[in-house]
Every structure is written in C-alpha cells, then in structure tokens.
Amino acid sequence: MTAEDTYTRLDDDDYPAYTMGRAAEMLGTTQGFLRAIGEARLITPLRSASGHRRYSRYQLRIAARARELVDHGTPVEAACRIIILEDQLEEAQRINAAYRHAAESANPAAAA
C-alpha cells in the first residue's frame, strides 16, 4: 500500500480508522457507551487482526447522534431504535423520490 492509498482510505467515510479509545475521546463519551450501542446493533465496528474494535467516520456520526439522544434522557436502547427508524424513513423517502422522478420522466404530460 502506498502513502497515496493510505490518504485516500482516510478520506473514505467507511474506512475503520479510529480505535475504540480514540472514538470515545472524539465523541466525549465512554468506551462502555460504544460497546452498548454495538450490543444494540446500531453500529458494528470492524475488528483489527488482533480483535480490537475500529470505527469509521460514518459510524462516529451515528454514535454522536445516539449520544445526543441519550444526553437528552433517552435510554440507549430507545435511542438506537429511533436512529434505525430515522435511517429507514430516510431511505424510504429517497426511494419514493426516485420512483416519482422516474414516473415523471416516463410520462411528462401526466406530471403537469
């Protein structure tokens, strides 16, 4: 792997670049919190060859959203469920918009 490959991977939102300790520090939370949201299956960190959890920037954004909900009094399990439902709703809305766009493109007279 070249240095350029390494920099490219670090720009990838899905590249597991952060250790559990660093992720907890960045989020201002505990490693236990990260374990809890992992057990609730909100995020599944990759494991290094030695078995240590590694987190991506995308996963850290999800964890930050969970922490925000928990900080406002929502139990961890409920916060994880809320985030999962928000994600499913966003995906359904994206699919709906794509179908609407395809229908309008196929029949522009009906859209007017």
Side-chain angles (χ1 to χ4, degrees):
M1 179 182 295
T2 67
E4 186 176 323
D5 292 337
T6 301
Y7 291 125
T8 301
R9 294 183 92 185
L10 290 175
D11 286 340
D12 182 356
D13 263 3
D14 295 319
Y15 180 67
Y18 304 98
T19 63
M20 177 181 267
R22 180 68 179 129
E25 180 183 312
M26 289 170 67
L27 295 170
T29 190
T30 64
Q31 293 180 16
F33 175 78
L34 291 173
R35 281 189 208 92
I37 63 175
E39 289 169 10
R41 296 188 176 163
L42 178 62
I43 58 175
T44 304
L46 257 57
R47 296 284 183 147
S48 67
S50 57
H52 298 282
R53 291 173 180 91
R54 304 286 296 194
Y55 297 87
S56 68
R57 289 190 310 203
Y58 174 74
Q59 289 172 324
L60 294 183
R61 282 195 302 273
I62 292 171
R65 174 71 175 125
R67 179 165 187 246
E68 178 184 325
L69 290 170
V70 169
D71 286 351
H72 285 96
T74 306
V76 171
E77 298 80 16
C80 292
R81 185 67 181 140
I82 288 167
I83 294 166
I84 290 167
L85 290 170
E86 287 174 342
D87 188 53
Q88 289 173 346
L89 176 60
E90 184 180 316
E91 177 68 8
Q93 289 173 331
R94 187 192 61 74
I95 290 168
N96 249 356
Y99 283 145
R100 239 182 268 116
H101 179 73
E104 290 170 0
S105 296
N107 191 1

